[in-house]
Amino acid sequence: MEEGVLAREVLLRQVLLSAGQIVREGFLRRDANTYSLKGPQDYLTETDAASELHIRQAILSQFSEDSVFGEEEGGEVSAQTWVVDPIDGTANFARGLPHFCISIGFVVDRNPILGGIYSPITNELYYARRGHGASLNGKAISVSGADLPESATVEMGWSTRVSTETYLESMEGLLNSGLNVRRCGSGALALAHVADGRSDGYCELHMNSWDCIPGLLIVSEAGGEVCEYLQTGDLREGGRILAATPKIAPTMSRLLSTRLLPRTQVPETA
Ligand code: LIP
């Protein structure tokens, strides 16, 4: 499999950049208010579709034995599955805020092996291969050294998939513990920002696999603690997500009733 992983690693980096070009051009030429809603607060733009089509074609033309499970077109989950979010942070994209990314992961038999996140406006490419560390534009990254909630900043994602009551209860617990909580609208990019220390943690009460698998792998490879979803989660269902720097993670795990993956169970090298 080693050779196969290396070939897919090359493709992953290339396709993040080429899809990034499509997304960047779409953002720069977009007209205000040219978006539609798939559901309440669930945005869709033409560029989501164009980016996903490009990524699917790039993967399947080279690896026809793999399957692609994407946000816009769905697809199969098989022994070798690519999870694809063609634009994470679509609401930001649609409203002209330059905070969004492309998020792609490669999963073998439920084990995430490769993860990449690309922010096309800032030209930042986050990447991890299981057991080989995490990088930003080719340089190794690691999570922050934050050790106390009172001096830590975390991000909490939101969607209509979770009730307002549950969301507010969790938010209240985090704030009462002393944490500063922000929300910037791209869960995948928020996970990347835990990996490079711009944030000390990220949590969301429900996240889809294409939004979280690449970021969870990148945080784990950057020395952070991550929730069990990385290893046991159902790619089709999504789940409760947590990733944080080691000294902040236990507080968040307790407050949010989200179990962390014991470090000894973090999958080995691929
Ligand atoms: C959304 C994320 C958002 C997160 C939601 C959702 P989309 O993805 O950007 O931050 O909280 O769960 O996944 O719709 O922009 O791809």
Side-chain angles (χ1 to χ4, degrees), residues 40 42 71 157-164 204-208 210-211 237-239:
D42 194 1
E71 175 170 17
W158 170 86
S159 78
T160 54
R161 299 184 296 275
V162 171
S163 74
T164 304
E204 183 157 347
L205 299 171
H206 180 271
M207 219 174 169
N208 290 307
W210 49 76
D211 289 326
E237 297 297 321

Side-chain angles (χ1 to χ4, degrees), residues 144-154 177-180 200 248:
S144 80
D147 56 357
L148 292 173
E150 304 86 84
S151 52
T153 293
V154 302
S177 76
L179 289 163
N180 170 29
D200 304 309
I248 298 298

Side-chain angles (χ1 to χ4, degrees), residues 14-32:
Q14 284 170 349
V15 80
L16 282 167
L17 294 175
S18 54
Q21 196 172 334
I22 292 171
V23 172
R24 184 169 48 244
E25 285 170 5
F27 182 70
L28 295 176
R29 65 155 194 269
R30 58 174 274 289
D31 293 327

